[in-house]
């Protein structure tokens, strides 16, 4: 027998892939608390399959909010995605890390740093599977893998970037026009600490951090897409990532 949680997860997955939008009837199934949020996330992952990485809000909250991201939602920076089908509404520029080895529960920040194989600029594309996103309870949006629609991962950055991440200049351009710039974000210590916490949290959920996974660490510049087709994130003089939808 299909449970209400499994049915809700299936509806959210389908809506992110061009299926019917989730209407207000789902509000009665919205998670009541953070345990419910993570239970819904786990059910979505169970239905989609392999975890390709995580998102964690480094430097924000204790503990920070997080969500696993399915492997089939990760793409190379140059890939062209169908933004209309997947209902992308917001682009976020983030710093991502790629793990070069498994991380056990209880990993220390030093263990995290040693396990990181590369740093990357990334674009997270936020998707909207809801008829009325503004009226959708926050816990339901969080349970929907925090509205993750896709992640575009750019080329590896020079590791010396870690020294100035907290004041890193980041700019977002849509169709060649600047739309948002910022010079503040999570520090390297914030990122290592968040991933150290995540090592235990993910393991408790039966989804341990594994070699090859990519972890995005929080939006630094973001803006609504408003129909834009070309997205570019510029990270000071360090590099950039480009995506098309």
């Amino acid at each position: 027998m299909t449970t209400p949680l499994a049915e809700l997860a299936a509806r959210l997955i389908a809506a992110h892939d061009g299926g019917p939008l989730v209407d207000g009837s789902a509000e009665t199934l919205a998670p009541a608390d953070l345990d419910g949020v993570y239970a819904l996330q786990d059910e979505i992952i169970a239905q989609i399959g392999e975890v390709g990485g995580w998102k964690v809000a480094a430097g924000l909250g204790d503990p920070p909010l997080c969500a696993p991201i399915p492997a089939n939602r990760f793409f190379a920076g140059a890939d062209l995605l169908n933004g209309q089908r997947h209902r992308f509404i917001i682009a976020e520029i983030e710093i991502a890390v790629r793990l070069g080895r498994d991380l056990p529960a209880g990993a220390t920040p030093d263990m995290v740093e040693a396990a990181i194989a590369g740093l990357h600029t990334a674009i997270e594309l936020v998707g909207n599977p809801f008829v009325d996103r503004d009226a959708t309870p926050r816990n339901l949006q969080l349970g929907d893998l925090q509205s993750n629609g896709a992640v575009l991962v750019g080329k590896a950055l020079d590791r010396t970037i870690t020294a100035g991440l907290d004041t890193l200049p980041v700019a977002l351009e849509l169709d060649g026009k600047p739309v948002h710039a910022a010079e503040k974000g999570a520090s390297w210590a914030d990122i290592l600490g968040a991933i150290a916490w995540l090592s235990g949290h993910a393991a408790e959920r039966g989804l341990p951090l594994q070699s090859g996974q990519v972890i995005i660490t929080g939006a630094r510049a973001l803006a609504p897409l408003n129909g834009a087709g070309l997205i570019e994130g510029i990270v000071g003089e360090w590099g950039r990532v480009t995506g098309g939808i």
Side-chain angles (χ1 to χ4, degrees):
M1 177 181 292
T2 302
T3 66
L5 184 68
E7 181 180 347
L8 175 58
R11 290 173 63 188
L12 291 167
I13 293 168
H16 276 287
D17 197 31
L21 289 168
V22 176
D23 61 21
S25 65
E27 292 183 16
T28 60
L29 302 175
D33 53 25
L34 199 53
D35 287 342
V37 165
Y38 290 145
L40 176 55
Q41 292 182 2
D42 290 348
E43 179 60 31
I44 291 172
I45 291 296
Q47 293 188 28
I48 293 181
E50 180 185 2
V51 173
W54 288 75
K55 59 184 299 184
V56 62
L60 297 175
D62 184 19
L65 292 171
C66 66
I69 302 175
N72 66 2
R73 291 189 184 178
F74 282 93
F75 301 88
D79 287 349
L80 180 64
L81 306 184
N82 188 330
Q84 185 172 6
R85 174 180 175 180
H86 298 298
R87 297 179 165 124
F88 301 140
I89 58 170
I90 297 170
E92 300 180 351
I93 306 303
E94 310 204 14
I95 296 296
V97 302
R98 188 185 300 274
L99 298 179
R101 66 182 73 166
D102 296 352
L103 267 179
T108 65
D110 285 345
M111 291 169 64
V112 172
E113 187 165 29
I116 291 173
L119 279 76
H120 302 259
T121 308
I123 299 170
E124 182 182 19
L125 294 168
V126 173
N128 177 32
F130 304 107
V131 171
D132 187 347
R133 179 180 175 82
D134 291 340
T136 300
R138 181 170 183 264
N139 278 355
L140 185 51
Q141 296 184 44
L142 293 175
D144 178 41
L145 306 184
Q146 293 189 30
S147 299
N148 173 265
V151 178
L152 297 163
V153 183
K155 295 180 180 179
L157 299 166
D158 189 305
R159 287 288 283 258
T160 56
I161 195 174
T162 59
L165 284 177
D166 54 335
T167 56
L168 181 69
V170 175
L172 171 62
E173 295 183 358
L174 298 177
D175 288 340
K177 298 178 181 179
V179 293
H180 188 206
E183 296 185 5
K184 184 178 180 181
S187 69
W188 186 230
D190 290 335
I191 290 172
L192 295 178
I195 298 174
W197 168 83
L198 184 62
S199 69
H201 175 84
E204 288 179 0
R205 291 169 62 176
L207 302 170
L209 301 183
Q210 297 180 338
S211 177
Q213 290 182 345
V214 172
I215 301 170
I216 56 176
T217 60
R220 290 172 179 261
L222 71 160
L225 288 167
N226 292 329
L230 179 64
I231 306 162
E232 187 161 36
I234 302 98
V235 181
E237 301 298 323
W238 299 90
R240 60 183 62 209
V241 59
T242 302
I245 58 174

